[in-house]
Amino acid sequence: EELLKLLQSLNRHVEQGSIGIGLDSCVLPTRHPGIDIVQTTDFFYPLVNDPYYQGKIAAANVLSDLYAMGVTECDNMLMLLGISNQMTLQERRISTKLVMEGFRDACAEAGTTVNGGQTVLNPWYIIGGVASSVCTKDEYIMPENAKVGDVLVLTKPLGTQIAVNAHQWLEEPSQWEKIQNVITKEEVIKAYLTAMFSMARLNRNGAKLMHKYQAHAATDVTGFGILGHATNLVQNQKESVSFVIKSLPIIAKMAAVADACKINFKLLQGFSAETSGGLLMCLSPEQATEYCAEIQQIDKYQAWIIGEVIAGNHEAIISPDVQIIEVDYY
């Protein structure tokens, strides 16, 4: 909250119909009439053991903020890379080559290329980027038109942070002892792979279908957790609405792990951080059903109707009797 207050000082000259700081991407007019720039940046530390997939996840995570705006075409990507000076020269060479290849391949899948960036030596390995798209107004969807009667759709399961941690705990006996009664090692590996492949999957098809099925507003679920991002989104709506989340699709066994590990991830409270998570959007009920059917046909992964939009005062809540949906892809 304190940081957001400080950042508001940078937002003084944002015009009506534009977005500055606080949502997924900035949307700002250029000096050319009718042409806007949609831009976003993000970076984070390694989450998975595979450097190639770490690069894919980083690119997918950056691009996802464009997709949350309904933007499907990225005109340029910059790569931000902090290479750890705690690694040996050989470790740096091998891991950095694979990270860059994964980042490049995800960008190619998105129909864009990497043209610049910044690389530094750093105590911690960092990977991220900047995604930019030059758009006309019909190429993006302003996240502000949710209506009473809409439903909430989520396109990826929750629980990625816990799945990644559980995988690390296989090599930490003190932590493994806390969760071994609720999950097997084989189930941990399945959850980890589910999380890794989910994080590496682009939200591009989801963004394309937002236009086809006339999404009224959307965001993506990342570091603030599903309730944090739902709250940011509902507070940006023109109409007096609230969001009620009635179900939480979670990677199989991760709710039990979160409870058993005695670490306060706040998964069921909606605040567990995700990386390169799904799109969370508001659609009419009829359009939502068709949206979920088509995205499963295209991506081969399920999306879920998880809640509803009601009359209210711009609040997002998780229902006291929320349903947990166990998601098992393997």
Side-chain angles (χ1 to χ4, degrees):
E1 287 185 9
E2 292 301 316
L3 179 58
L4 285 174
K5 290 177 183 177
L6 293 171
L7 290 173
Q8 289 307 312
S9 65
L10 302 177
N11 243 354
R12 292 174 182 168
H13 304 296
V14 176
E15 299 178 12
Q16 186 174 2
S18 302
I19 296 176
I21 295 167
L23 288 169
D24 298 299
S25 299
C26 66
V27 180
L28 298 170
T30 68
R31 64 182 182 276
H32 305 291
I35 302 297
D36 296 334
I37 185 166
V38 182
Q39 194 169 55
T40 185
T41 184
D42 204 353
F43 64 88
F44 51 87
Y45 307 111
L47 295 162
V48 298
N49 293 340
D50 187 318
Y52 177 80
Y53 265 93
Q54 183 58 54
K56 291 195 75 171
I57 290 166
N61 188 67
V62 175
L63 287 162
S64 185
D65 285 338
L66 293 187
Y67 299 147
M69 298 294 302
V71 174
T72 62
E73 305 301 323
C74 176
D75 291 303
N76 188 51
M77 281 284 284
L78 304 178
M79 184 171 64
L80 307 176
L81 186 60
I83 302 171
S84 174
N85 57 19
Q86 307 300 308
M87 302 170 78
T88 67
L89 179 59
Q90 183 73 351
E91 288 171 339
R92 290 202 295 264
R93 283 175 174 168
I94 294 172
S95 62
T96 302
K97 178 178 182 292
L98 290 168
V99 166
M100 293 176 72
E101 287 177 355
F103 194 95
R104 177 203 63 199
D105 288 354
C107 290
E109 185 182 345
T112 190
T113 56
V114 182
N115 296 285
Q118 182 63 278
T119 305
V120 297
L121 274 175
N122 195 61
W124 307 279
Y125 210 104
I126 295 173
I127 177 69
V130 180
S132 304
S133 183
V134 180
C135 298
T136 57
K137 294 192 182 301
D138 61 350
E139 292 181 279
Y140 60 84
I141 298 170
M142 292 295 282
E144 59 189 18
N145 294 305
K147 303 181 184 305
V148 174
D150 281 354
V151 294
L152 304 175
V153 169
L154 180 67
T155 64
K156 289 185 183 180
L158 308 171
T160 55
Q161 182 187 43
I162 295 152
V164 167
N165 277 270
H167 189 255
Q168 293 174 346
W169 295 338
L170 292 176
E171 300 177 4
E172 298 178 20
S174 61
Q175 282 298 129
W176 174 245
E177 288 175 1
K178 297 177 183 177
I179 66 171
Q180 62 183 346
N181 292 329
V182 299
I183 193 169
T184 66
K185 292 183 177 182
E186 291 75 16
E187 288 169 333
V188 168
I189 293 170
K190 285 173 63 176
Y192 170 76
L193 291 174
T194 295
M196 184 173 74
F197 295 140
S198 177
M199 291 186 289
R201 176 161 49 96
L202 298 179
N203 282 323
R204 192 182 188 194
N205 288 329
K208 291 178 180 179
L209 294 179
M210 282 169 56
H211 290 271
K212 180 175 180 178
Y213 292 105
Q214 301 173 336
H216 295 144
T219 185
D220 65 336
V221 180
T222 52
F224 296 137
I226 188 168
L227 189 60
H229 287 284
T231 298
N232 286 346
L233 185 61
V234 76
Q235 290 175 348
N236 196 58
Q237 300 312 300
K238 290 179 178 178
E239 294 190 11
S240 296
V241 296
S242 289
F243 296 168
V244 180
I245 298 171
K246 295 187 172 183
S247 58
L248 294 173
I250 297 174
I251 296 170
K253 296 297 186 83
M254 292 305 100
V257 168
D259 182 59
C261 73
K262 306 306 179 185
I263 296 174
N264 193 15
F265 286 107
K266 296 186 177 181
L267 176 65
L268 300 188
Q269 291 75 38
F271 294 111
S272 184
E274 308 290 338
T275 298
S276 190
L279 299 177
L280 175 67
M281 69 192 71
C282 304
L283 293 161
S284 72
E286 300 78 14
Q287 300 280 48
T289 300
E290 294 183 22
Y291 179 100
C292 291
E294 184 162 355
I295 198 170
Q296 183 164 9
Q297 183 180 19
I298 296 171
D299 276 350
K300 310 305 180 187
Y301 293 99
Q302 187 175 1
W304 302 267
I305 296 173
I306 65 162
E308 61 184 356
V309 179
I310 63 173
N313 55 354
H314 301 279
E315 293 181 336
I317 64 167
I318 294 179
S319 173
D321 57 350
V322 64
Q323 175 191 8
I324 306 303
I325 301 172
E326 296 273 324
V327 180
D328 189 354
Y329 286 147
Y330 299 99

